[in-house]
Amino acid sequence: MSGFPASRRGTPLGIWGAVAGIANVIGPLLGGLLTAGLGWRATWWALLPLVGAAALAVVLAVQAGERQGEPASWRRLVRLSVAVPVAAAMLTFTVMIGSFFLIEQYLQDEVGYSALLAAAAPVVVAVFTGAAGPVAGRLTDARGERLPAAVGFAVAGAALGGYGLTGAPLHGPAALPLGVLLGLGLGLLFAPVSRSALNAVPQQLHGQASALISSGRLAGAALGAVLAGAAARAGTGADQVHTALVWAAGLCLLLGVPLATKLREPATIPSTTD
């Protein structure tokens, strides 16, 4: 993203967010297909060629060059400057992955869906997450990071709160409207969070900032899976799922929205070569 000026990075980051949303469709569907066709162990064996292909793509894409060492003070600047975006990214993935995981367990254990059908059920969320990505990018470029991020957490929280209401549909056509709303809310979060992190540090430190954001997302995904697993220990019935989704809504509204208001807007940062 260093090839784009600070005021215009939202648009390409929004496209990247759309790709991430599409990946949330492809991953579970691929896992469902492998589980249905070859058994659950195939989902782990499939990681070997996928990781190999990703590693090869990175090697081919990254130009060789000597990396200049950066003073410890600049590394500390990166950590401090991107602390809020990393927390927001972590929360986004905690809520998203945790909700997906729990709903899929409910659909298999209680409704009787196959692994493939349960994996396909959240597709509407992922599709609208991808659709909202470019819109979020343009909105971020026009209005800054805080507004789209705050709206994203608020919309996602409202959708999860709707699912959390006793008697609210958790599957079938009646559940689709809230799924669309949830996807739109999540899709608004990728571009502003990433742009806030990149614009908070000099261009020379974009690699470190991006790495921290990615680490936050991975940590959030792991935490979401852990929390969903803990919730599932109490059962995967509708009542337990409703309760867990209410907690997820609370995280978005009570933690996510305040975090969004703390995101750093573009500012002039001195170069590391100064």
Side-chain angles (χ1 to χ4, degrees):
M1 296 300 169
S2 299
F4 294 86
S7 61
R8 294 178 56 195
R9 286 181 186 137
T11 298
L13 285 169
I15 296 172
W16 172 84
V19 173
I22 294 171
N24 282 312
V25 177
I26 296 174
L29 283 177
L30 178 60
L33 284 170
L34 289 171
T35 300
L38 299 173
W40 65 267
R41 290 179 176 82
T43 62
W44 295 97
W45 285 110
L47 293 176
L48 294 176
L50 290 174
V51 171
L56 178 61
V58 170
V59 170
L60 294 176
V62 177
Q63 294 181 350
E66 184 178 3
R67 181 181 182 277
Q68 299 296 324
E70 290 147 0
S73 59
W74 284 109
R75 292 196 293 272
R76 183 171 180 271
L77 168 66
V78 175
R79 289 194 297 270
L80 293 176
S81 298
V82 305
V84 173
V86 167
M90 182 175 179
L91 178 60
T92 300
F93 271 69
T94 297
V95 170
M96 181 171 65
I97 300 302
S99 300
F100 279 20
F101 182 90
L102 189 59
I103 285 292
E104 290 178 15
Q105 293 302 307
Y106 161 76
L107 292 175
Q108 291 183 73
D109 296 343
E110 305 296 328
V111 185
Y113 281 17
S114 67
L116 177 57
L117 191 56
V123 161
V124 65
V125 178
V127 167
F128 280 90
T129 298
V135 177
R138 292 192 293 270
L139 181 61
T140 300
D141 285 340
R143 301 296 299 272
E145 290 87 353
R146 293 172 183 169
L147 176 63
V151 171
F153 276 121
V155 170
L160 289 166
Y163 278 129
L165 295 175
T166 302
L170 296 174
H171 63 94
L176 291 180
L178 286 176
V180 171
L181 194 64
L182 178 58
L184 293 175
L186 293 173
L188 287 174
L189 295 172
F190 290 93
V193 169
S194 295
R195 199 184 85 151
S196 178
L198 292 178
N199 288 352
V201 299
Q203 180 173 321
Q204 296 93 325
L205 302 177
H206 280 182
Q208 290 189 30
S210 296
L212 288 172
I213 287 289
S214 296
S215 297
R217 291 189 174 113
L218 291 173
L223 179 59
V226 168
L227 292 176
R233 290 194 65 182
T236 54
D239 290 342
Q240 288 81 7
V241 174
H242 286 308
T243 300
L245 294 180
V246 167
W247 280 98
L251 287 176
C252 288
L253 298 174
L254 300 180
L255 184 57
V257 173
L259 271 175
T261 64
K262 301 297 183 182
L263 290 174
R264 292 176 60 124
E265 301 286 0
T268 302
I269 302 292
S271 169
T272 57
T273 59
D274 291 347

